[in-house]
Amino acid sequence: MTACISPTPEKLVQARDVLTRASFSRAQRIIRQHLYSPALGPEFLAQAAGLSRSTLYRVFASHGGVSSLITRERLNEAHRRLTSAGGPSAINALAYDLCFSDPSTFSRAFKRQFGYSPRDAISLRR
């Protein structure tokens, strides 16, 4: 608000940073709510968050990009499910549930993210 009343370069940068963080948080909530939706992607996210596509990409630039963050969130959810008691043992079904194109793509991404396979994650169950 102070950037509007008394605009200075410093206040404008601060305001932009606050808006960027708020936009990122809103978009991240939307991602988590729609992890299992095949429609979840940059177009969907921009519309749901009320951001232009270019603004969305700018907001996510420091986080590795929109698609990579969606993938990371899906992998984190897969990890949580695979390591929790009573979690799924059907890795293929989980891969498709989380909208990966096929189980091998899912397994490679999972191993790249966590350093071990989804099958190994099941052995970590609590």
Side-chain angles (χ1 to χ4, degrees), residues 36-84:
Y36 294 92
S37 171
L40 179 60
E43 294 286 332
F44 175 88
L45 188 56
Q47 184 178 8
L51 301 170
S52 71
R53 194 174 160 99
S54 60
T55 299
L56 181 74
Y57 282 108
R58 184 175 44 74
V59 165
F60 279 80
S62 64
H63 300 278
V66 178
S67 296
S68 67
L69 185 68
I70 290 170
T71 299
R72 276 196 312 271
E73 289 292 338
R74 284 179 166 152
L75 290 170
N76 288 335
E77 173 66 6
H79 188 273
R80 186 192 64 73
R81 288 190 56 198
L82 288 170
T83 57
S84 65

Side-chain angles (χ1 to χ4, degrees), residues 90-105:
I91 294 167
N92 292 353
L94 180 60
Y96 289 122
D97 285 349
L98 286 167
C99 307
F100 284 87
S101 59
D102 59 75
S104 62
T105 300

Side-chain angles (χ1 to χ4, degrees), residues 1-7 11-12 14-16 18-19:
M1 184 178 254
T2 59
C4 293
I5 295 169
S6 174
K11 288 179 184 175
L12 292 173
Q14 287 176 333
R16 187 175 51 237
V18 168
L19 291 173

